[in-house]
């Protein structure tokens, strides 16, 4: 392929056609495992092929195997952002292909990232202490929130060991909760460290409270263990729970060696709306946490991957991660006049991700960004109200921003009938989820909250409207009734 070929024009046209027709597509692919091996060779060709054939094969064989995360009826997991501004930013970034391991590798890559991360900090209301312009703290784009947690654990461990050189590695403990994303447990596996999962309760809305943290610290102190980092959550995956950072803040004053990282992978972008900031504890985030992460590639309109990590003091990252062999040294780096972002994460090379972030923030503007977040929250509130009004459905916990967690709870046949057991309800909801997940016109995900089998609906696709919410509810209510009848057929009647 050479410059004169026009394949790029066709690609853009086909991408536009994809989005024009997305509404009419099923959400989930209908292919079976191993389908692709039946359509494409299992070895690369010896001779190059005409690109038109390659592009056509993409349409014929790859597109049918896609799950359409941008579909307006995709309500599973959390949304993955995809905007034309982000697509074009990615296209431009890919066309220049700079590995960006130090400032000299491509000054624009480093400098734009430093600027747009400060833009994003302003958008979310983060303290100036987290900005690159402070010269002390700063932000960098990571691949995912899992990467962000891994490097903050590395930085926290390094800081703790410098302050306590006699402490054995096997005594160090990562603190999570029973609602923390699996990224906490994975960091423990990767680094060979203990992980303690503090139980959170339904009556506390699945949030970590100060007393539970204090009790865990006291228990570990007596056992000689050394908790060195707490991974707190703002907007947990299963329930949207927000750990009580106000109470954690008070305890942190007594625990100067405990690094507090806030994982706000999904919910953090909602801080762009001032009305959410009190409930998401922005004041406490700004006052004391060591690091904060949110994924703009989830609910933040920027195409995957774009996980934003801010630290209060960058030297803890660089002290832990700085490896600078002679061939990577530059006069700018030696003089300390530039940021070398390779020392802010595990890898050496890095993509030019700030370009798509720049395109999106400029294209939407701060107010356009906030309008999108508010619209998703409003649509979720409409769905939650439909659940409240339903005779077959019930909320499991309070709606959180753009997330509702619900389950099927059949109406009792008489007032003197005892409530259905958790086991019975779990059986009914398992049948219900099996029915819903077999459909291709909607996608939801299941979860388990302290033994309760339940279903999540997360709003976030840019093209979702109120009609899609109503259609989703109609499907859900229909399948709920069918699940109840199926359970009755198996078990006779709905009783204890």
């Amino acid at each position: 392929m050479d410059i004169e070929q026009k394949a790029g024009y066709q690609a853009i046209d086909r991408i536009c056609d994809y989005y024009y027709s997305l509404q009419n597509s099923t959400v989930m692919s209908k292919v079976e495992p191993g389908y692709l091996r039946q359509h494409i060779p299992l070895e690369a060709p010896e001779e190059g092929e005409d690109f038109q054939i390659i592009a056509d094969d993409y349409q014929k064989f790859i597109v049918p195997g896609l799950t359409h995360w941008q579909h307006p009826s995709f309500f599973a997991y959390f949304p993955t952002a995809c905007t034309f501004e982000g697509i074009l930013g990615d296209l431009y970034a890919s066309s220049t292909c700079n590995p960006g391991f130090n400032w000299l590798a491509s000054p624009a890559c480093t400098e734009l990232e430093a600027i747009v991360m400060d833009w994003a900090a302003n958008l979310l209301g983060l303290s100036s202490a987290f900005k690159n312009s402070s010269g002390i703290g700063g932000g960098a784009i990571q691949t995912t929130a899992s990467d962000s947690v891994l490097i903050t654990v590395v930085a926290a461990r390094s800081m703790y060991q410098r302050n306590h050189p006699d402490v054995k590695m096997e005594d160090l403990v990562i603190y999570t909760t029973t609602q923390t994303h699996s990224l906490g447990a994975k960091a423990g596996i990767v680094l060979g460290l203990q992980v303690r999962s503090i139980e959170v309760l339904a009556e506390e809305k699945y949030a970590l409270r100060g007393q539970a943290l204090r009790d865990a610290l006291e228990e570990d102190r007596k056992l000689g263990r050394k908790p060195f980092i707490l991974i707190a959550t703002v907007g947990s995956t299963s329930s949207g729970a927000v750990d009580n950072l106000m109470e954690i803040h008070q305890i942190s004053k007594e625990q100067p060696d405990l690094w507090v990282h806030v994982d706000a992978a999904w919910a953090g972008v909602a801080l762009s709306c001032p009305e959410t900031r009190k409930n998401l504890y922005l004041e406490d985030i700004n006052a004391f946490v060591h690091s904060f992460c949110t994924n703009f590639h989830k609910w933040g309109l920027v195409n995957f991957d774009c996980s934003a990590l801010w630290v209060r003091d960058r030297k803890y990252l660089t002290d832990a991660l700085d490896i600078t062999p002679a061939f990577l040294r530059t006069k700018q780096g030696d003089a300390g006049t530039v940021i070398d972002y390779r020392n802010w994460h595990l890898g050496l090379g890095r993509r030019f991700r700030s370009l798509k972030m720049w395109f999106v923030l400029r294209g939407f503007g701060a107010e356009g960004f906030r309008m999108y977040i508010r619209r998703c929250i409003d649509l979720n509130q409409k769905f939650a109200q439909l659940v409240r009004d339903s005779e077959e459905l019930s909320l499991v916990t309070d709606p959180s921003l753009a997330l509702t967690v619900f389950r099927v709870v059949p109406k009792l046949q008489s007032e003197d009938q005892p409530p259905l057991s958790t086991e019975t309800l779990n059986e009914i909801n398992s049948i219900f989820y099996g029915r819903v997940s077999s459909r291709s016109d909607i996608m939801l995900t299941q979860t388990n909250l302290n033994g309760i089998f339940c279903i999540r609906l997360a709003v976030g696709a840019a093209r979702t409207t109120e009609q899609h919410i109503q259609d989703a509810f109609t499907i859900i209510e229909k399948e709920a009734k069918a699940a109840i009848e199926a359970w009755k057929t198996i078990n006779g009647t709905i009783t204890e």
Side-chain angles (χ1 to χ4, degrees), residues 310-349:
W310 286 273
V311 291
R312 189 175 296 277
D313 193 334
R314 67 182 71 171
K315 74 179 178 64
Y316 292 124
L317 286 184
T318 56
D319 285 352
L321 298 169
D322 185 0
I323 299 293
T324 306
F327 57 83
L328 291 178
R329 291 184 59 182
T330 66
K331 66 178 182 180
Q332 297 86 1
D334 289 347
T337 56
V338 298
I339 293 175
D340 283 339
Y341 273 127
R342 72 174 183 281
N343 297 322
W344 292 45
H345 61 92
L346 297 180
L348 173 60

Side-chain angles (χ1 to χ4, degrees), residues 482-493:
I484 293 168
E485 292 304 313
W487 192 92
K488 286 181 180 179
T489 299
I490 297 169
N491 296 275
T493 59

Side-chain angles (χ1 to χ4, degrees), residues 278-482:
K278 181 177 180 181
N279 289 340
L280 300 183
Y281 296 104
L282 177 63
E283 183 176 338
D284 295 283
I285 290 169
N286 283 334
F288 83 102
V289 303
H290 295 76
S291 51
F292 174 86
C293 169
T294 191
N295 288 348
F296 276 80
H297 64 240
K298 275 195 170 78
W299 195 16
L301 296 170
V302 182
N303 303 43
F304 187 85
D305 53 325
C306 188
S307 181
L309 171 68
W310 286 273
V311 291
R312 189 175 296 277
D313 193 334
R314 67 182 71 171
K315 74 179 178 64
Y316 292 124
L317 286 184
T318 56
D319 285 352
L321 298 169
D322 185 0
I323 299 293
T324 306
F327 57 83
L328 291 178
R329 291 184 59 182
T330 66
K331 66 178 182 180
Q332 297 86 1
D334 289 347
T337 56
V338 298
I339 293 175
D340 283 339
Y341 273 127
R342 72 174 183 281
N343 297 322
W344 292 45
H345 61 92
L346 297 180
L348 173 60
R350 53 203 329 273
R351 298 179 62 239
F352 193 3
R353 292 171 290 210
S354 57
L355 197 60
K356 60 189 174 186
M357 197 172 184
W358 189 48
F359 278 29
V360 167
L361 293 179
R362 291 184 67 183
F364 281 82
E367 186 55 29
F369 192 97
R370 287 188 287 265
M371 286 176 60
Y372 159 69
I373 297 294
R374 287 170 176 147
R375 181 174 62 80
C376 293
I377 294 172
D378 182 59
L379 289 174
N380 184 59
Q381 289 299 327
K382 294 181 187 302
F383 176 76
Q385 189 58 49
L386 291 170
V387 172
R388 292 187 185 98
D389 295 339
S390 172
E391 293 188 352
E392 289 83 19
L393 305 172
S394 178
L395 298 176
V396 177
T397 187
D398 291 343
S400 176
L401 300 171
L403 173 67
T404 293
V405 184
F406 66 97
R407 63 174 172 168
V408 179
V409 180
K411 184 178 180 180
L412 298 178
Q413 296 176 346
S414 63
E415 291 184 2
D416 59 353
Q417 181 182 340
L420 301 177
S421 67
T422 298
E423 182 181 3
T424 295
L425 289 174
N426 285 351
E427 289 176 4
I428 294 170
N429 279 275
S430 181
I431 295 170
F432 165 71
Y433 183 70
R435 295 184 63 89
V436 170
S437 60
S438 68
R439 300 181 66 112
S440 60
D441 55 351
I442 189 173
M443 190 169 179
L444 304 169
T445 38
Q446 65 180 342
T447 192
N448 188 296
L449 288 174
N450 292 8
I452 298 174
F453 185 106
C454 39
I455 294 86
R456 305 165 64 262
L457 182 141
V459 182
R463 293 162 182 80
T464 300
T465 66
E466 189 170 346
Q467 186 59 53
H468 295 110
I469 295 297
Q470 182 61 57
D471 292 345
F473 177 77
T474 299
I475 291 170
I476 289 166
E477 196 166 48
K478 174 185 175 182
E479 295 296 355
K481 292 176 180 177

Side-chain angles (χ1 to χ4, degrees), residues 56-75:
D56 289 346
D57 281 354
Y58 170 81
Q59 297 295 125
K60 288 190 293 184
F61 304 136
I62 303 301
V63 173
L66 297 176
T67 295
H68 303 297
W69 284 62
Q70 285 72 52
H71 195 286
S73 294
F74 180 94
F75 301 109

Side-chain angles (χ1 to χ4, degrees), residues 146 149-150 174 176 181-193 195:
S146 298
V149 161
L150 186 60
I174 300 170
T176 65
H181 189 275
S182 57
L183 49 75
K186 182 171 284 189
I189 291 172
V190 172
L191 299 171
L193 298 171
V195 178

Side-chain angles (χ1 to χ4, degrees), residues 72-127:
S73 294
F74 180 94
F75 301 109
Y77 305 107
F78 282 127
T80 181
C82 192
T83 56
F84 290 118
E85 292 85 350
I87 290 170
L88 293 173
D90 243 350
L91 178 62
Y92 281 116
S94 296
S95 73
T96 54
C97 197
N98 291 298
F101 47 78
N102 61 22
W103 179 87
L104 194 61
S106 192
C109 295
T110 296
E111 298 201 6
L112 184 62
E113 183 161 344
I115 291 169
V116 298
M117 286 298 290
D118 282 2
W119 280 19
N122 284 331
L123 177 66
L124 303 183
L126 295 179
S127 163

